[in-house]
Amino acid sequence: MTAVAASATVTTAQAVPRGGTCVISPVSGLVWTTLFRIEALGWQDDSHGVPLEYRFTRRGQPLGSWSASSNVSDVIFGEPGTVNISAEVRN
């Protein structure tokens, strides 16, 4: 007698969040003084009922942890020069 086993799984791949921007204000300020507000605005996805999570990065390093409760971060920078910030969004 030959033994046979089988298994099947059905899954749905979700699209990645899209259509958003990263905004920082004010656009200039003073080191260790100016409080900058970073916002991830307009992001959308197709997952119904699953909140988006946000975090911001500088030079690829997170400025904080993932958050489903806020798409805003307030930051004071400690070095002069141009600062490039990215918003990361996941579902």
Side-chain angles (χ1 to χ4, degrees), residues 6-57:
S7 176
T9 301
V10 176
T11 187
T12 302
Q14 296 182 39
V16 296
R18 65 193 178 287
T21 61
C22 180
V23 177
I24 187 167
S25 63
V27 294
S28 65
L30 301 173
V31 172
W32 292 113
T33 303
T34 304
L35 182 66
F36 293 92
R37 172 153 285 198
I38 309 166
E39 298 179 90
L41 302 173
W43 291 92
Q44 302 172 11
D45 76 340
D46 296 329
S47 61
H48 303 286
V50 177
L52 294 177
E53 293 183 322
Y54 304 88
R55 80 174 175 187
F56 300 98
T57 63

Side-chain angles (χ1 to χ4, degrees), residues 70-91:
S70 178
N71 63 335
V72 175
S73 182
D74 293 322
V75 178
I76 293 177
F77 296 108
E79 62 184 66
T82 301
V83 177
N84 294 312
I85 303 295
S86 298
E88 293 182 338
V89 184
R90 70 182 184 187
N91 53 7

